[in-house]
Amino acid sequence: MIIVKQTPIRIVSLVPSQTELLYDLGLEDNIVGITKFCVHPIHFKNTKKSVGGTKQIKIEKIKALKPDIILCNKEENTKEIVEACSEICKVHVSELYTLEDTIALVKEYGVLFNKRTEALKISVKIEYNLNEFKEFIKDKPVLKVAYFIWREPWMVAANNTFINHLLELNNFKNIYANLERYPEVEINKLQQQGDPDLVLLSSEPYPFKDEHAFELGRFSHHSKTVFVDGEYFSWYGSRLIGAFDYFRTLRNRL
C-alpha cells in the first residue's frame, strides 16, 4: 500500500485489467490515460488518451496529462517504466499471482481511491462466484494441459503465474508446472514432456488460428486442442466476476 496525502484524482493506468477494474469501481471520469491494450470498456478507445503500450510508453504524453498517480504491474510493465513514471508522480505497482492477491488489490484500490463500498461489492461477488465454482469443480477429473501463449517461439504459461493458478483451480494439471513463468518449449517434445489431454490456445497475446492447432496436433498423442479466452485466464480484477461462469461452460463442453 502506498501512502498518499489525499485521494488521487487524475489516474494513468498502464495495466489493461486494472483499467477495467477502475471503470467498475466508478472511476471513469478520473482516468486520464491508458495503454493501447486497454480494450475494456470498449468506448475508452475513443474517450481516453493512449500513452503507448504496456512495455513501451510515451513518457511525454504521460507528463502532459499531469496525473496524480500511475498504476503499474510487475509483470505487465518493466522496471525502467516504473522508474521513469516515478519521476512524474506516485506510482502503484501491483504484483499478483493468486485470487487472494486480486481480492486484496480490489480492496486496496477501494481505500486508495475512496471507493470502499464499490470495492467491497466487487470482492464479495468474486468470492461468492469462486465458492460456487469450487463446488462445481471438486468432483471433476484432473486433466493434463499445456497452455500456449505465443508462437515463433512457442511459449507456454508455467509455474509462478496467475494463469497457472487458475489452471489449478480448474483441476487442470499443467505439464509445464516444473518450469517458471513463460518459457519457450519445443513442440516436437510435447509427448515426452507430459503428453497433455488438452492443448489450450489462448486468445491473447498471440492470435492463434486453426492451422496452429493442426501444427500442435502433429506432436501430441491424443490431446484435444481448445481455443480459450485469455482474458478470463490472465486478467485479474473485476473480470473475474464472470470468469467462473466461463470456466464452468468450458468444462461442460470438454
Side-chain angles (χ1 to χ4, degrees):
M1 170 72 76
I2 65 172
I3 298 174
V4 293
K5 294 181 179 179
Q6 57 187 18
T7 303
I9 301 300
R10 297 177 64 81
I11 307 167
V12 167
S13 174
L14 302 182
V15 190
S17 56
Q18 292 172 197
T19 298
E20 181 180 48
L21 172 58
L22 294 172
Y23 172 75
D24 288 331
L25 284 170
L27 291 161
E28 177 172 2
D29 292 340
N30 300 95
I31 303 167
V32 295
I34 61 174
T35 76
K36 62 183 179 181
F37 301 115
C38 295
V39 295
H40 298 296
I42 192 169
H43 67 272
F44 272 18
K45 180 180 180 181
N46 299 318
T47 62
K48 301 299 176 183
K49 192 76 170 180
S50 173
V51 296
T54 54
K55 298 292 190 290
Q56 293 182 319
I57 60 170
K58 297 177 180 178
I59 196 70
E60 293 303 321
K61 284 190 174 183
I62 294 177
K63 287 180 181 178
L65 292 172
K66 298 180 179 179
D68 298 314
I69 193 168
I70 301 169
L71 304 180
C72 296
N73 173 264
K74 188 174 181 180
E75 181 172 294
E76 293 273 6
N77 313 120
T78 65
K79 181 182 178 182
E80 291 72 23
I81 284 176
V82 172
E83 290 174 347
C85 289
S86 297
E87 295 182 5
I88 300 173
C89 65
K90 288 278 189 179
V91 176
H92 181 282
V93 183
S94 62
E95 185 174 4
L96 302 103
Y97 300 101
T98 67
L99 289 165
E100 290 74 19
D101 294 338
T102 293
I103 291 169
L105 177 69
V106 172
K107 293 178 178 178
E108 186 174 352
Y109 275 14
V111 174
L112 182 60
F113 298 113
N114 196 25
K115 292 288 184 177
R116 292 172 178 80
T117 300
E118 293 83 353
L120 181 61
K121 288 178 180 178
I122 291 172
S123 60
V124 166
K125 285 180 182 178
I126 293 173
E127 290 173 327
Y128 180 83
N129 292 351
L130 169 61
N131 289 331
E132 276 199 332
F133 181 73
K134 284 180 176 178
E135 281 298 309
F136 164 81
I137 201 70
K138 66 180 183 181
D139 297 322
K140 302 295 182 185
V142 175
L143 300 175
K144 293 190 297 180
V145 304
Y147 188 103
F148 283 86
I149 63 165
W150 201 259
R151 179 178 177 273
E152 294 184 341
W154 290 97
M155 296 173 68
V156 296
N159 194 29
N160 202 29
T161 62
F162 190 66
I163 292 172
N164 189 65
H165 176 69
L166 291 185
L167 290 175
E168 291 176 345
L169 179 68
N170 279 272
N171 274 2
F172 291 150
K173 180 178 174 58
N174 189 349
I175 68 169
Y176 294 110
N178 60 313
L179 303 177
E180 289 289 317
R181 308 297 289 159
Y182 303 103
E184 296 179 19
V185 298
E186 298 179 49
I187 60 172
N188 60 348
K189 295 182 179 179
L190 197 58
Q191 287 190 49
Q192 301 97 298
Q193 292 172 337
D195 198 18
D197 301 304
L198 299 173
V199 170
L200 305 180
L201 299 183
S202 179
S203 61
E204 61 166 40
Y206 188 88
F208 288 107
K209 297 180 173 59
D210 287 340
E211 57 261 35
H212 306 135
F214 291 132
E215 186 177 359
L216 283 163
R218 292 167 42 216
F219 299 103
S220 63
H221 176 60
H222 64 279
S223 63
K224 178 181 180 181
T225 302
V226 181
F227 293 90
V228 296
D229 190 325
E231 291 178 359
Y232 283 127
F233 276 99
S234 63
W235 282 37
Y236 21 81
S238 47
R239 170 94 355 196
L240 286 167
I241 292 174
F244 305 108
D245 281 341
Y246 173 79
F247 294 152
R248 187 182 289 107
T249 300
L250 175 62
R251 258 295 180 161
N252 285 335
R253 66 183 176 90
L254 292 177

